[in-house]
Amino acid sequence: PVDPLPDRCVYTYMRVHLVRHGEVHNPRSVMYGRLPRFRLSAHGVRQAEEAAAHLASRQLALILCSPMLRARTTARELQRGQARAHRQPQGPPLRQEAALLEVHTPHDGKPLSTFAGRWHTLYDDVPEGYETFEAVASRLRSLLARLAADFGEDAEVACVTHGDVVFSARLLAEGLPTTLASKKREDARLYPATASIVSLDVDADGSVRGGAYWAPTRAPDRFTETQAQAPALCGAAAAEEGGGGGGETPARKAKRSRRGVS
């Protein structure tokens, strides 16, 4: 349910904002998962700026983020937005948090087309040492409990993370089970856009009372020439900038981006 954020923060619970990172520069259309150095696209930076503007009126006590580059970049935009809005030299503290990491899957590097329309199959027959969807949701619930214990009532914290973690938060906000069956059933309806935010109301014991969903007006399926015409990178440059090489037509880009990746 949509719950517009009030102008002032007066709660009997804490509010945790789960923020999905902005759109990623991924010209080869691969499942990047935990692969290193996948940066935001120019469009993704603008999305992150819009998310920062949405949260600018909030007084964040802390910003946590996944260690992945795309999440760190999005988190820095939130921090800068807070600093500007509240006339602070640096904004709230920003820390990396392993509980916000991308799902650990054996499918990193595979073409996105392998999973188009069947994203839940990422969790079919998960080999030992990799994560189930339930495991991803479990680490989110554990983090919420820790934050509730550390901060208590009236505090607000932002957590920049990845698609399936934010999707788990949407399930919690709607009172739905955080199971693979729920993912299969609700994926099309509830999967979060890039740079979208799920704001959860969290009780002192870490349980979720409800929440709100917001998505940027810069839709994740908007095609940008900058992305399509990004120069191919190779060798060390590709490793540093998050991969490169290969192009795709505007039509294919737009179709793929409607779903995005985590």
Side-chain angles (χ1 to χ4, degrees):
V2 175
D3 172 24
L5 298 181
D7 290 336
R8 300 181 68 182
C9 176
V10 182
Y11 305 137
T12 57
Y13 45 84
M14 78 172 299
R15 178 158 279 176
V16 181
H17 305 280
L18 278 298
V19 185
R20 188 182 176 193
H21 60 77
E23 182 186 76
V24 174
H25 178 67
N26 184 18
R28 289 188 172 182
S29 300
V30 299
M31 175 67 74
Y32 41 77
R34 292 191 179 187
L35 297 178
R37 308 307 299 173
F38 272 82
R39 58 182 171 85
L40 296 185
S41 66
H43 179 59
V45 172
R46 291 191 293 271
Q47 287 183 321
E49 291 169 347
E50 189 173 350
H54 177 72
L55 292 177
S57 64
R58 319 313 306 161
Q59 186 76 52
L60 299 179
L62 175 68
I63 300 173
L64 296 176
C65 70
S66 159
M68 305 308 297
L69 175 60
R70 56 194 181 273
R72 300 198 318 265
T73 304
T74 302
R76 284 195 294 270
E77 290 298 336
L78 300 189
Q79 187 182 46
R80 280 192 283 266
Q82 288 283 298
R84 288 192 297 267
H86 302 288
R87 299 181 180 180
Q88 301 168 339
Q90 295 181 330
L94 193 163
R95 296 204 307 259
Q96 295 182 33
E97 170 56 59
L100 296 171
L101 259 169
E102 177 65 279
V103 58
H104 188 33
T105 172
H107 303 297
D108 290 356
K110 292 183 180 179
L112 290 179
S113 57
T114 306
F115 306 99
R118 303 181 301 111
W119 295 97
H120 58 81
T121 61
L122 286 170
Y123 296 101
D124 288 348
D125 302 318
V126 176
E128 184 176 355
Y130 294 97
E131 284 187 300
T132 63
F133 179 73
E134 288 82 359
V136 174
S138 178
R139 56 179 160 93
L140 170 62
R141 289 195 301 271
S142 295
L143 175 62
L144 294 177
R146 278 197 283 126
L147 290 174
D150 289 346
F151 287 92
E153 297 178 359
D154 299 341
E156 294 195 55
V157 172
C159 299
V160 183
T161 182
H162 305 273
D164 280 4
V165 181
V166 181
F167 178 76
S168 298
R170 289 201 77 179
L171 291 176
L172 290 173
E174 300 239 348
L176 296 171
T178 51
T179 62
L180 182 57
S182 291
K183 180 169 176 58
K184 291 178 179 179
R185 184 172 59 251
E186 303 292 347
D187 206 51
R189 181 173 74 92
L190 295 180
Y191 205 83
T194 45
S196 63
I197 302 171
V198 175
S199 299
L200 298 178
D201 300 333
V202 181
D203 272 328
D205 62 356
S207 60
V208 174
R209 295 166 55 105
Y213 176 73
W214 172 89
T217 57
R218 299 181 186 276
D221 60 341
R222 181 181 298 177
F223 175 74
T224 63
E225 287 188 358
T226 302
Q227 282 180 271
Q229 297 175 0
L233 303 176
C234 59
E240 176 64 21
E241 293 298 324
E248 58 184 328
T249 65
R252 288 183 63 190
K253 167 66 179 176
K255 182 177 180 180
R256 176 182 59 77
S257 295
R258 288 189 184 95
R259 175 55 171 77
V261 293
S262 297

